[in-house]
Amino acid sequence: KQTSARPKFGSAATKSPTENVAATSRGGRSSLNASSSRSRARARYAERRRLTDSGSAPRPSTHRRAGTVSHTPAIGIGRDVHPVRVAGFLSLVAAAAALLAEVAAAPTTALPGTLLVGTVGTASAVAVVEERERAASAAASAPTALAAVDRGDVRDALAVVVGAVCAHVLSVHAGFGPVLGSALVGVAAALAFPEADAPAYCGSFVGMASAAAFPSLGYVALAGAVSGIAYVASAGSFAGVGGKLGTLALFGCLTTAAVVGVEGAAGGSPAWDLIPLVVPVAATAALLTAVANVRLGLGPVLGSGLVGVLAALGGSALDALSLLGPEISGTLATAGFCASFVGMTSPSRIAGPARMAVAGAVSGAALIAVAPAVPGMGGTRGTVALVSCLGVGGARRALRAVGR
């Protein structure tokens, strides 16, 4: 005896062919819409990462209408750019300006430091004016990518916080020191989480803050959160310029210190007698990082992290062998790590080994000059690298304009 179960009401068996086709079409459209939404989100994030990591902004778009060609004009920051991007651009400029102003106002800054900071600062200002238009052009060419906030941005902001906490634990609690602790976080992030290595490396610079500046991990996490927000907001600004990540870290540290009322340690005096040692080390570190980044294809984060590990271990070896004192070896390690941020610069920003070596040497001299400023704050070395890169580029543009 054969029995057959009665189909339930609403099942495919009880629906007419027209109803089945309509349901299938609705389901297909819903699935297609969801897939398209995810694809658009991924495309926006990929475009934002390209604008952030690339050394050059996209060219202005060209529109053809009625046989004519009109180019999108350059726009200035603050007119047609999303307010979030304006805030990100200003956070970078404010952090760099605060460091230079602190150096100029420090009572221990000697005449060489004043002249160096004034020259580099003036040249950097020339570069910042051009960067304003570059960032605005990037935002105009990809308004959707630079305006929307998606899951990738949330992940990047969290990666900054995690990187800050991990680096601080390694530096202070594990006793590795700030250079090795930050460099190890960068290497680990580049190898294990390459899609989030840049924000994690940015956070590691926050974690370089001393225990005197931030006595608890809560302060470090807060500074990392502020830097993470600035990281997301600054997409497209100073793209491809070495030291940008550290400048964002300094912005987070200075903002947190101002809000919670934390005072750092007393600043030291510039050790100008170390210039003959620091400048060659810095120039070499910048070149090594550039080779690892571009020639070997390791990428900027892994290249800088490896050079940082090498600098930290080299400084420790010099100290252990009693070849140099702990202060001198520590300064050389810090100078090498600072110059590695210069080596992260895109070739479209600093082309050729000669210019890269000059920018690295400038960062070494500038690092000596900023010794009295913002002691114990993370991101100082990165800001020195950013100002050095902008200073070299600005000086070159100014000389070219004078030659014309």
Side-chain angles (χ1 to χ4, degrees), residues 179-180 183-184 201 289 303-314 333 336-337 340:
V179 173
L180 185 57
L184 288 176
Y201 205 31
T289 305
S304 172
L306 291 175
V307 172
V309 171
L310 180 63
L313 297 180
F337 194 37
S340 75

Side-chain angles (χ1 to χ4, degrees), residues 178-179 208 311-312 328-341 367 381:
V179 173
M208 294 179 72
I328 298 178
S329 59
T331 300
L332 293 180
T334 302
F337 194 37
C338 174
S340 75
F341 309 146
L367 183 66
R381 292 87 171 174

